[in-house]
Amino acid sequence: MAAQLVREWTSIQQFPCATQTKLLELVGKLKQENVNTLTILVMGKGGVGKSSTVNSIIGERVVAVSAFQSEGQRPVMVSRSRAGFTLNIIDTPGLIEGGYVNDQALQIIKRFLLNKTIDVLLYVDRLDAYRVDNLDRQVIKAITDSFGKGIWQRSLVVLTHAQLSPPDGLNYDDFFSRRSDALLKVIRMGARIKKSELKDFAIPVVLVENSGRCNTNDSAEKILPNGTSWIPSLVETITNVASNGSKSILVDKKLIDGPNPNERHKLLIPVILALQYLFVVKPIQRTIKADISREMKSLWELRDMGLSGNRF
Ligand code: GDP
Ligand code: MG
């Protein structure tokens, strides 16, 4: 792996004091649990606010944000350290192109992640979107096929544009719960999470408002419409997921080049074919050969063996 430039997380001082205190408290908690590095992977469709969320967490404009689709983007890892703790956040380009998952973009992301360990996945989408569709499901499926179903045990859903006024006079909390339910459902479908597995895949949903016009409280912290200071709350949920006991995802060569990690049983196919050959095909061939050699016996031979019906 190329040496990664780890800079001191000085931009943490850009946050209001209350936010800084909370963030350092969370970092301290992780260190107590012997977690000295946290690598967060940020994924989702284009234009949903992935890069803006990375900038919000770091407290500095570290990755480019664009209102328009920018092409040919590559993943970027931003690393910051503070008091012996290193935070890595990997921003990725959107996965959709022309209505489909762009396999090449996915391949580039996978190669970028080689030998890295993903501790937490932030699956980003907008709160102010009114439906989920097959495209969402395709993105979820692509992530699952690339890193294995287990990545969803290490994930949280981030909904940006949280400072919205719900349409049709809907109450904010109702709108939020309907939007999260719809997204969680599509994740369960795309990742093929069974009903019986639901308790192992309790995916938290967190609200984010990256806009510079986000409301603030008396301590100058950016807040959601319900008054919650969302940066500490997002980081707290990230730390909870990081210490939920499930396994981080090591992206090794096997995961990148190997079969779809969800279909490992397909490795058994050659074994099954070999067994079929030995125990089904071979005996049939033997019977056929025996039949043929019997066919080829001349009539007199058969007569001598008493097998011919002919009377001479
Ligand atoms: P990405 O393609 O997923 O990385 O999305 P970007 O972070 O580049 O954001 C796309 C556009 O949405 C930019 O114009 C951002 O300023 C805007 N944006 C991102 N997050 C928010 C948010 O939470 N609220 C608002 N109002 N705009 C946002
Ligand atoms: Mg981006």
Side-chain angles (χ1 to χ4, degrees), residues 51 64 73 91:
S51 305
Q73 278 181 323
D91 188 20

mmCIF file of all heavy atoms in Angstrom, residues 51 64 73 91, ligand 2:
data_model
loop_
_atom_site.group_PDB
_atom_site.id
_atom_site.type_symbol
_atom_site.label_atom_id
_atom_site.label_comp_id
_atom_site.label_asym_id
_atom_site.label_seq_id
_atom_site.Cartn_x
_atom_site.Cartn_y
_atom_site.Cartn_z
ATOM 1 N N SER A 51 -19.369 13.682 -0.629
ATOM 2 C CA SER A 51 -18.166 14.501 -0.404
ATOM 3 C C SER A 51 -18.445 15.586 0.628
ATOM 4 O O SER A 51 -17.595 15.864 1.486
ATOM 5 C CB SER A 51 -17.706 15.129 -1.725
ATOM 6 O OG SER A 51 -17.519 14.106 -2.680
ATOM 7 N N ALA A 64 -13.516 17.647 -3.148
ATOM 8 C CA ALA A 64 -14.297 18.545 -3.998
ATOM 9 C C ALA A 64 -15.778 18.200 -3.947
ATOM 10 O O ALA A 64 -16.168 17.031 -3.953
ATOM 11 C CB ALA A 64 -13.788 18.445 -5.430
ATOM 12 N N GLN A 73 -13.951 10.763 -11.643
ATOM 13 C CA GLN A 73 -13.436 10.904 -10.284
ATOM 14 C C GLN A 73 -12.867 9.582 -9.780
ATOM 15 O O GLN A 73 -13.312 8.525 -10.169
ATOM 16 C CB GLN A 73 -14.570 11.274 -9.341
ATOM 17 C CG GLN A 73 -14.901 12.718 -9.329
ATOM 18 C CD GLN A 73 -16.029 12.939 -8.340
ATOM 19 O OE1 GLN A 73 -16.935 12.112 -8.218
ATOM 20 N NE2 GLN A 73 -15.956 14.026 -7.627
ATOM 21 N N ASP A 91 -13.675 8.775 0.396
ATOM 22 C CA ASP A 91 -14.765 9.291 -0.415
ATOM 23 C C ASP A 91 -14.703 8.583 -1.772
ATOM 24 O O ASP A 91 -13.619 8.324 -2.286
ATOM 25 C CB ASP A 91 -14.560 10.807 -0.604
ATOM 26 C CG ASP A 91 -15.760 11.469 -1.267
ATOM 27 O OD1 ASP A 91 -16.867 10.880 -1.226
ATOM 28 O OD2 ASP A 91 -15.592 12.573 -1.830
HETATM 29 MG MG MG B 2 -18.386 13.464 -4.442
#
